[in-house]
Amino acid sequence: MRGIVIETGFVKLRQLCIILFLFVLVGKPLLGQENATVCGFIKDSKTGETLIGATVYVSDLNIGTSTNTYGYYSVSVPKGNYTVKFQYVGYDLKKETLDLTSDISFDVLLQPLSIDLKEVEIKADKVEQQHVRSTQTGVEVLKPSDIEFLPDLFGEKDIVKAFQLTSGVKAGTEGFSSLYVRGGRPDQNLIMLDEATVYNISHIAGLFSVFNSDAIKSATLIKGAIPSRFGGRLSSLLDVQMKEGNNLKYHGKGSIGLISSRLMFEGPIQKGKSSFMISGRRSYLDLPLLLSGNKNKAYFYDYNMKLNSWIGSKDRIFISAYAGRDAAKMMRMMDVNWGNKTSTIRWNHLYNSKLFSNVSFIYSVFDYYLAPIDSEGNIEKDNEENGGIGVIDGGIKDINGKIDFEYYLLPKLSLKFGGNVLFHGFNTGVASKVNNNETQETINALENGLYLSAVYQPINTLTIDAGLRFSNFSVIGPYDELSYEAGTESIVTKHYSAGNIVEQFNSLEPRLTATYLLDEESSLKASFSKNTQFLHSMNGFKFSSPISLWIPSMGSILPSYSYQYTLGYYRNLFKNRWQFSAEGYYKDLYNQKDFLPGTDVFFDNVMQNIVEGNGNAYGLELSARKVKGRFTGWINYTYSRVWQKTDRINSGEKYPSYQDRPHDINIVIMYKPSKRVELSALWTFQTGQPYNVPLAHYTYKGVDVPIYSKINSRRYKDYHRLDLSISIYSKRSLRPNRKFKRYWSISIYNVYGRQNPWLHTYGNKPLDELGRNKRIDKATFFRFVPMFNYNFKF
Amino acid sequence: MIKKIFNILFASLVVASLFSCNEQEDIELNQNPDFVVVFAELAQGETAEVELRYSTDFALPIDNYEDKFKKQISNARVILKASNGKEEILKESKEKAGIYYSELIKGEEDVHYDLIIDAAGKRFTSSSYIPKPVKLDKIEVVEDLGNGEYSSDGKAEVTVYWKDRPNERNFYMLKLDIDSENLIEYGKKDNIYLFSDINNDGNNIKLKLKKSSLMKMPDYAYTVSLRCIDEDTYNYISSVQNYEDNGSDFTFTSPGNLPTNINGGAVGFFNAFAVSKIVWKK
């Protein structure tokens, strides 16, 4: 057993136990009081869909809560009559006077705000203060409606690209779907679709994400302290929930875009009880090729499906699935395809008004395939023997069982606890070359977790959310321990039978957030968290690539772990129409992966070339968001740095990581001058990406060896662009009772044609008069791209 | 209507594709002073050889495994000191500028060596150690040289046996020469095999070295050399092998300078080693 991770958490664990003990001590007298509980679901009145994160507030007692992922809430109060407010952003406030002399079940239907502009102005005063009161730091929540009218690339409203415009999140390379959160790398984000891990979120190597906005209900990105029920990643949690489906009436939505189209259909199976949602999307870049008889092809598709049904009044079942794939075939070059499949079955059960549970069975698989092909599309077997790449075929498969409980114990104390058992099957089939080592193809592992967290409000102005997660990771047999040595055949040094533990790691991860209300409109929040990561994607962290080789922690590849400290100030301004926040963070990062100099990050046997070092990341995020009115949008600025120190790189001196881009500004404005027209604009700026150019080179026995100065000492020129968009509804679409509505969207990406660098390569040119034959080629994508989209709803 | 929509969409796609572009920038010469490159070897039982030269500006070509702009460093002062008290100033070869060799000092097992170089106005130092040799036990060769006399589709598998010395970290470099000719360049993966005992401490080691593209020739001889090298040299050679497949395009190559045991700002390495050889003939 490897204890390296667990030891570092012990001091924090002891502190956490003391805090939890104090909670119980202080809370104990409250148990003696006579309480009543109101519980139920909060739903959209037009679709019947439950609302995630809607707030319930008993103003007489200054007690509140919010709905969970399934729209469920429960509030316990001393017996009496109270006015209870139910609120959700974009919906009318609902006030109810409830007789709470006994436990009651009370479902609430909230009315979406009318698109009548005058009404919007009036309702703006009543935007709830979740921004100020919530017990999470570094949270961004987006719904498809928030981004419906944003400018987009090639007509796809992409929720991942929208998150790239929020503070503390960077996009990486131009046009790509990667998320670099607070100095983390893309593989350090836990990205989940209905609880199933999505290992590769890219279509067309990253131009689109795999999330079809028509099929999404909401997406939450947590950059700060991740709740203890989630584990396994260092940087962030992106929790994407699919739509459940309108359970009151049939409804459809679609779009015809520049290179892809999509369609979504939803409706009740049994009105008010069960519903379905199905959506599909496909690109047609390959259509002209197909029509012209060309054998090359390039396309992607994805499908989402979800069913849900109530069984009685206490049980609800959800079944959801996703499948998506990209394929590209270029004759005489390569045949490459990759994709994810996920499926989730969930069972919600209400034991009583205070105890809610969810049991989930989750299957997720990501796989990729790449092969060199000849002019007829057949695999070129000679390629490998001639020293080129062979067939690359790998991926990862997850089977996960989990159970979560939410126990609303006291008016000011609620508990969450549960656990999961997660099986990983790694297929590490990486490129093989003549005389090179073969990597073991299949590795199995178990990642198990147990957690307990408590939300406690010791005084009206202070809320504490404290949690503890225990994670266990075991590599299990069958497994042959090989010696990985350059230039030799691998040797089996030890054989492990099926089920035997090859290697094991444990980790205790405290998570703590405290929110202190300064007044009704402002608060201070602080958080501390430890996160551990046992899985690593070795290809994806420098370049966006579909060939994301995921490998487990084992041998010399240790679990990565981090400590994050966050402090923030939050304030609502101008009658809650503006939300302002300033949040600073500091992270200590351990066992961060990098490659030995000279490693080809796509095709070398990367497991042999991984080196580890430590680092840190810190930053300040300033954000102002206007949430209501004719004008909505946000402006944010982030200053951030991320450093790494690795023994065998840069002479052991610290260097900026590849994701280090100190300055980041985003301005997003949406304006609705009339019922028919939506205007939007966004401007984004990022410091240029660091890169390296060799200063000199020499030959050693025929090998061209470069000499660099300091690592990442040069930067691409700064990145910035302006996008504009206008959406116009047809006149007939606004007629009352008109079922079919349509609108055109016209966008211009990169209006002023900035030549933002995409990739620098080293090219050869004919010798010039100085004898030079090398130059830097700077590739630029997407200068001034106009786009048109036809959208419809019925 | 639908046709109209598609016409607009595809016209837009064509327009969009026209706006991608490439910029090119020359890499300027003489951005930086030249780096001193040092390669020094001392084999057990043999004299030392040290090569000194300058690096080439990155904008200048290195083609066909030959550095046309190679600049040797002459008139340097190169001193070799052994832990057994021997000391010698190395002489520069009259035939090959920039090559320095010892006449008196020969590599001895279990001896530490210090190298001191005064060149290009700077002092560079390094040290290396010849460990006790590990003997090759035997080698076995299985050939499949094909039918045609001049065909190059012949293959061979050379199995090498030795016992690792226990309770110490050992690093090995195996060199396979066929017919005593360097048919494939030294430094290439096809000819050089690295091994460390990280998972094999004290074990009997059996390695299969595979060769391809062999021509059928009479009286083939296979020579396997087992060098006991230090960790610095092991790291250096393994990093060189990473660069080998990448040509001169370092776009997708993880950047960084190769590890070196030369102090003072030079690149390269000083490698003292013990060697054991077995020759196999039909």
Side-chain angles (χ1 to χ4, degrees):
Chain A
M1 186 182 292
R2 308 281 284 263
I4 189 162
V5 179
I6 195 168
E7 286 166 8
T8 51
F10 259 125
V11 176
K12 277 87 183 178
L13 172 66
R14 199 168 57 188
Q15 293 166 352
L16 191 80
C17 287
I18 294 168
I19 291 167
L20 286 173
F21 177 73
L22 287 173
F23 284 172
V24 175
L25 204 67
V26 176
K28 201 175 175 184
L30 297 174
L31 284 166
Q33 290 184 6
E34 292 235 359
N35 295 321
T37 300
V38 54
C39 65
F41 291 85
I42 300 181
K43 301 175 186 174
D44 180 309
S45 65
K46 289 192 172 175
T47 66
E49 286 225 23
T50 54
L51 300 175
I52 304 169
T55 56
V56 181
Y57 187 57
V58 185
S59 47
D60 305 334
L61 300 172
N62 203 18
I63 288 174
T65 188
S66 57
T67 54
N68 66 11
T69 307
Y70 306 94
Y72 181 75
Y73 76 94
S74 175
V75 180
S76 294
V77 293
K79 287 180 178 178
N81 286 318
Y82 299 101
T83 301
V84 184
K85 292 179 184 174
F86 301 92
Q87 299 172 298
Y88 191 58
V89 175
Y91 287 75
D92 275 339
L93 168 77
K94 194 162 192 172
K95 277 185 191 175
E96 295 286 343
T97 302
L98 301 176
D99 176 12
L100 294 177
T101 50
S102 61
D103 292 354
I104 62 166
S105 175
F106 189 76
D107 290 351
V108 179
L109 295 175
L110 291 184
Q111 183 82 17
L113 285 172
S114 162
I115 60 168
D116 184 292
L117 293 172
K118 289 179 182 175
E119 191 178 348
V120 170
E121 294 282 3
I122 294 164
K123 300 296 181 191
D125 291 351
K126 296 175 179 172
V127 171
E128 50 78 31
Q129 296 165 334
Q130 185 72 353
H131 168 68
V132 170
R133 291 176 174 272
S134 80
T135 56
Q136 283 178 327
T137 53
V139 179
E140 304 283 353
V141 181
L142 288 175
K143 301 189 293 294
S145 58
D146 297 332
I147 64 167
E148 188 169 2
F149 298 106
L150 275 184
D152 52 57
L153 187 59
F154 296 123
E156 285 293 328
K157 305 296 179 188
D158 196 320
I159 205 130
V160 173
K161 293 237 171 72
F163 278 119
Q164 290 173 349
L165 298 170
T166 58
S167 59
V169 183
K170 299 184 198 307
T173 319
E174 161 94 75
F176 281 64
S177 295
S178 305
L179 290 175
Y180 295 82
V181 181
R182 290 189 171 176
R185 300 192 300 245
D187 72 317
Q188 295 175 341
N189 304 315
L190 178 60
I191 298 174
M192 299 195 310
L193 179 63
D194 275 1
E195 295 195 69
T197 304
V198 181
Y199 283 95
N200 187 310
I201 59 168
S202 297
H203 278 313
I204 320 184
L207 291 185
F208 303 141
S209 82
V210 297
F211 301 117
N212 178 350
S213 60
D214 285 348
I216 292 172
K217 181 178 180 176
S218 76
T220 304
L221 178 72
I222 301 178
K223 304 170 287 182
I226 296 171
S228 57
R229 72 189 175 102
F230 301 102
R233 298 292 187 280
L234 295 193
S235 275
S236 76
L237 165 71
L238 177 58
D239 185 12
V240 181
Q241 296 291 331
M242 275 193 232
K243 275 183 179 172
E244 293 157 8
N246 192 320
N247 67 20
L248 300 175
K249 58 187 177 184
Y250 294 104
H251 170 68
K253 193 176 182 184
S255 172
I256 299 170
L258 199 58
I259 61 170
S260 68
S261 289
R262 58 184 194 268
L263 184 65
M264 185 277 294
F265 189 62
E266 60 182 336
I269 300 170
Q270 189 182 358
K271 200 169 179 179
K273 289 258 179 185
S274 55
S275 62
F276 72 93
M277 183 281 298
I278 185 163
S279 75
R281 185 167 59 153
R282 194 192 190 281
S283 71
Y284 28 75
L285 272 172
D286 55 333
L287 197 59
L289 299 172
L290 198 66
L291 294 174
S292 64
N294 193 312
K295 289 180 181 174
N296 293 320
K297 63 181 182 182
Y299 64 87
F300 76 83
Y301 66 82
D302 57 35
Y303 305 107
N304 294 76
M305 182 278 290
K306 192 162 181 175
L307 300 170
N308 81 92
S309 180
W310 281 98
I311 302 168
S313 61
K314 292 190 172 181
D315 296 280
R316 196 179 186 193
I317 298 287
F318 299 84
I319 300 172
S320 53
Y322 164 85
R325 195 140 204 97
D326 283 67
K329 202 167 190 176
M330 291 156 277
M331 298 301 165
R332 288 197 292 271
M333 282 182 69
M334 65 175 71
D335 182 1
V336 58
N337 61 74
W338 69 94
N340 299 278
K341 285 179 194 162
T342 72
S343 51
T344 308
I345 300 173
R346 289 185 281 188
W347 168 42
N348 288 180
H349 179 67
L350 282 170
Y351 294 88
N352 53 50
S353 60
K354 291 183 176 178
L355 185 59
F356 174 94
S357 77
N358 175 66
V359 177
S360 302
F361 296 98
I362 303 152
Y363 174 77
S364 169
V365 61
F366 165 67
D367 68 280
Y368 55 83
Y369 171 86
L370 186 149
I373 55 172
D374 60 21
S375 57
E376 295 300 313
N378 302 314
I379 294 174
E380 263 192 312
K381 291 180 180 170
D382 292 345
N383 196 54
E384 185 178 351
E385 292 181 1
N386 292 333
I389 62 165
V391 175
I392 304 174
D393 187 3
I396 181 168
K397 178 173 67 181
D398 282 0
I399 301 170
N400 190 7
K402 60 186 290 198
I403 185 163
D404 302 295
F405 292 94
E406 295 177 22
Y407 188 26
Y408 303 91
L409 182 62
L410 293 168
K412 296 187 176 184
L413 176 64
S414 62
L415 301 173
K416 291 180 182 176
F417 51 95
N420 75 307
V421 177
L422 168 58
F423 169 84
H424 297 291
F426 300 86
N427 178 3
T428 62
V430 293
S432 59
K433 295 179 184 176
V434 173
N435 284 329
N436 208 5
N437 278 341
E438 290 174 7
T439 311
Q440 178 133 2
E441 286 204 345
T442 306
I443 304 172
N444 297 324
L446 280 175
E447 185 174 2
N448 307 318
L450 284 172
Y451 71 91
L452 168 66
S453 71
V455 178
Y456 182 58
Q457 196 177 357
I459 53 175
N460 282 344
T461 52
L462 178 66
T463 308
I464 294 170
D465 185 343
L468 182 66
R469 181 178 181 82
F470 171 72
S471 298
N472 163 268
F473 185 83
S474 310
V475 177
I476 53 174
Y479 181 77
D480 287 331
E481 194 172 86
L482 305 176
S483 76
Y484 296 112
E485 297 298 336
T488 66
E489 272 204 341
S490 48
I491 299 173
V492 177
T493 56
K494 194 171 181 182
H495 175 75
Y496 294 86
S497 304
N500 283 3
I501 292 175
V502 179
E503 199 158 5
Q504 190 169 198
F505 302 94
N506 293 317
S507 175
L508 275 173
E509 300 166 27
R511 319 273 172 88
L512 180 66
T513 306
T515 302
Y516 182 73
L517 286 176
L518 298 169
D519 54 44
E520 283 296 306
E521 294 180 334
S522 62
S523 64
L524 281 175
K525 298 182 192 179
S527 69
F528 162 76
S529 63
K530 183 192 175 193
N531 292 72
T532 308
Q533 180 160 343
F534 303 103
L535 275 59
H536 318 278
S537 172
M538 295 319 305
N539 304 69
F541 69 79
K542 288 183 185 174
F543 307 99
S544 183
S545 160
I547 311 300
S548 341
L549 168 66
W550 284 86
I551 55 172
S553 296
M554 62 185 304
S556 59
I557 302 167
L558 297 171
S560 302
Y561 60 100
S562 70
Y563 295 99
Q564 182 178 192
Y565 309 85
T566 307
L567 180 65
Y569 173 71
Y570 306 79
R571 184 171 181 80
N572 283 1
L573 297 165
F574 308 114
K575 297 181 179 176
N576 296 327
R577 292 178 199 182
W578 281 85
Q579 297 175 343
F580 170 78
S581 67
E583 204 168 281
Y585 66 89
Y586 176 83
K587 287 182 183 181
D588 280 320
L589 306 162
Y590 298 92
N591 299 335
Q592 298 293 293
K593 291 9 177 198
D594 207 330
F595 291 119
L596 283 174
T599 307
D600 181 325
V601 297
F602 285 125
F603 297 119
D604 276 345
N605 192 342
V606 294
M607 288 177 77
Q608 293 178 23
N609 293 309
I610 293 168
V611 283
E612 296 185 330
N614 300 332
N616 59 33
Y618 50 87
L620 176 67
E621 298 164 3
L622 302 173
S623 173
R625 183 185 291 253
K626 186 163 189 293
V627 291
K628 290 294 166 188
R630 281 177 188 272
F631 278 104
T632 55
W634 62 86
I635 176 170
N636 58 56
Y637 166 75
T638 305
Y639 174 76
S640 60
R641 300 305 306 265
V642 52
W643 299 90
Q644 188 160 339
K645 191 171 183 295
T646 310
D647 281 347
R648 291 176 66 182
I649 296 176
N650 209 36
S651 308
E653 295 175 20
K654 78 170 187 177
Y655 55 94
S657 297
Y658 298 89
Q659 59 272 27
D660 178 65
R661 304 177 77 166
H663 301 285
D664 183 5
I665 302 170
N666 297 292
I667 302 172
V668 176
I669 299 169
M670 288 168 277
Y671 177 54
K672 191 171 176 63
S674 73
K675 289 181 182 178
R676 282 188 64 204
V677 179
E678 281 267 2
L679 299 170
S680 64
L682 72 85
W683 184 76
T684 183
F685 172 93
Q686 284 182 42
T687 308
Q689 182 179 321
Y691 77 108
N692 302 276
V693 172
L695 304 173
H697 56 163
Y698 63 94
T699 53
Y700 172 67
K701 306 296 183 186
V703 180
D704 187 355
V705 180
I707 302 173
Y708 293 91
S709 61
K710 300 293 181 190
I711 296 297
N712 290 336
S713 57
R714 292 180 66 154
R715 287 186 184 272
Y716 291 179
K717 64 183 180 183
D718 292 335
Y719 178 96
H720 55 88
R721 65 165 214 273
L722 172 70
D723 303 342
L724 299 174
S725 173
I726 179 169
S727 298
I728 305 171
Y729 276 90
S730 70
K731 286 182 181 173
R732 280 186 290 181
S733 295
L734 297 179
R735 288 179 189 162
N737 302 321
R738 168 94 178 165
K739 286 189 176 173
F740 187 84
K741 297 183 177 182
R742 59 197 172 94
Y743 67 92
W744 280 90
S745 293
I746 302 166
S747 297
I748 301 173
Y749 184 91
N750 199 358
V751 171
Y752 50 80
R754 167 86 173 171
Q755 292 187 43
N756 286 309
W758 177 67
L759 183 68
H760 286 190
T761 59
Y762 308 111
N764 286 325
K765 63 175 188 177
L767 287 176
D768 65 12
E769 67 281 3
L770 296 173
R772 296 178 298 202
N773 81 328
K774 288 187 186 300
R775 67 175 182 224
I776 299 175
D777 288 332
K778 300 176 176 179
T780 298
F781 259 6
F782 308 132
R783 290 175 60 200
F784 187 74
V785 185
M787 286 156 289
F788 305 88
N789 249 59
Y790 175 72
N791 307 282
F792 54 90
K793 300 174 185 174
F794 57 89
Chain B
M1 179 64 181
I2 296 296
K3 190 179 174 186
K4 194 176 170 185
I5 292 169
F6 271 96
N7 284 341
I8 293 170
L9 294 179
F10 282 113
S12 304
L13 189 60
V14 171
V15 170
S17 64
L18 293 176
F19 284 99
S20 298
C21 70
N22 259 304
E23 274 187 301
Q24 291 166 357
E25 179 187 291
D26 282 339
I27 298 172
E28 292 304 318
L29 289 170
N30 304 319
Q31 291 171 323
N32 290 280
D34 292 331
F35 294 86
V36 171
V37 182
V38 178
F39 292 118
E41 284 196 345
L42 176 60
Q44 183 192 13
E46 296 185 22
T47 56
E49 183 174 299
V50 177
E51 181 187 358
L52 299 179
R53 56 178 152 118
Y54 290 110
S55 61
T56 303
D57 195 289
F58 185 64
L60 298 172
I62 293 176
D63 292 330
N64 303 322
Y65 302 125
E66 191 176 326
D67 185 351
K68 294 173 185 172
F69 296 86
K70 188 192 289 187
K71 293 173 283 184
Q72 306 292 358
I73 301 176
S74 290
N75 303 318
R77 181 180 165 85
V78 182
I79 301 169
L80 187 63
K81 288 182 180 176
S83 57
N84 56 13
K86 294 178 183 174
E87 182 173 334
E88 183 179 357
I89 298 175
L90 275 56
K91 290 182 179 170
E92 185 173 8
S93 167
K94 289 176 182 170
E95 290 79 29
K96 292 181 181 176
I99 304 290
Y100 301 81
Y101 58 92
S102 66
E103 290 179 325
L104 302 174
I105 293 182
K106 290 185 177 180
E108 296 175 56
E109 68 176 64
D110 201 21
V111 174
H112 289 268
Y113 293 91
D114 292 325
L115 185 67
I116 300 155
I117 300 168
D118 291 316
K122 292 181 181 173
R123 169 162 285 198
F124 307 100
T125 60
S126 183
S127 47
S128 191
Y129 168 72
I130 298 183
K132 289 179 182 173
V134 172
K135 299 288 183 190
L136 276 173
D137 292 333
K138 63 174 178 176
I139 67 171
E140 293 170 350
V141 178
V142 178
E143 285 183 317
D144 176 9
L145 297 179
N147 298 320
E149 192 169 333
Y150 298 105
S151 70
S152 59
D153 59 353
K155 295 174 183 171
E157 191 173 273
V158 181
T159 309
V160 185
Y161 298 84
W162 80 93
K163 181 171 172 56
D164 179 64
R165 200 162 42 227
N167 304 320
E168 60 184 67
R169 283 298 304 277
N170 292 307
F171 299 90
Y172 301 99
M173 183 170 86
L174 289 111
K175 185 166 174 278
L176 172 61
D177 293 314
I178 300 175
D179 208 18
S180 299
E181 294 176 17
N182 285 327
L183 294 177
I184 300 175
E185 290 237 18
Y186 173 74
K188 305 282 281 181
K189 275 184 184 174
D190 288 9
N191 218 29
I192 292 293
Y193 305 83
L194 294 174
F195 191 87
S196 79
D197 67 349
I198 186 166
N199 292 318
N200 293 282
D201 186 42
N203 291 351
N204 287 310
I205 310 296
K206 174 187 171 186
L207 276 187
K208 285 183 180 174
L209 316 180
K210 291 181 179 177
K211 295 289 294 181
S212 60
S213 304
L214 296 178
M215 287 175 63
K216 186 177 181 182
M217 294 176 73
D219 302 325
Y220 251 77
Y222 292 80
T223 304
V224 176
S225 312
L226 179 69
R227 291 185 181 184
C228 298
I229 57 177
D230 58 21
E231 187 170 3
D232 289 333
T233 307
Y234 177 88
N235 289 336
Y236 185 89
I237 302 288
S238 64
S239 296
V240 167
Q241 290 188 336
N242 279 336
Y243 275 110
E244 182 188 52
D245 296 318
N246 301 333
S248 296
D249 183 353
F250 305 113
T251 303
F252 297 109
T253 301
S254 198
N257 291 327
L258 299 190
T260 180
N261 60 357
I262 312 286
N263 303 312
V267 296
F269 68 94
F270 171 33
N271 174 28
F273 58 90
V275 66
S276 163
K277 273 186 189 178
I278 289 184
V279 179
W280 182 93
K281 283 186 180 178
K282 275 183 182 173

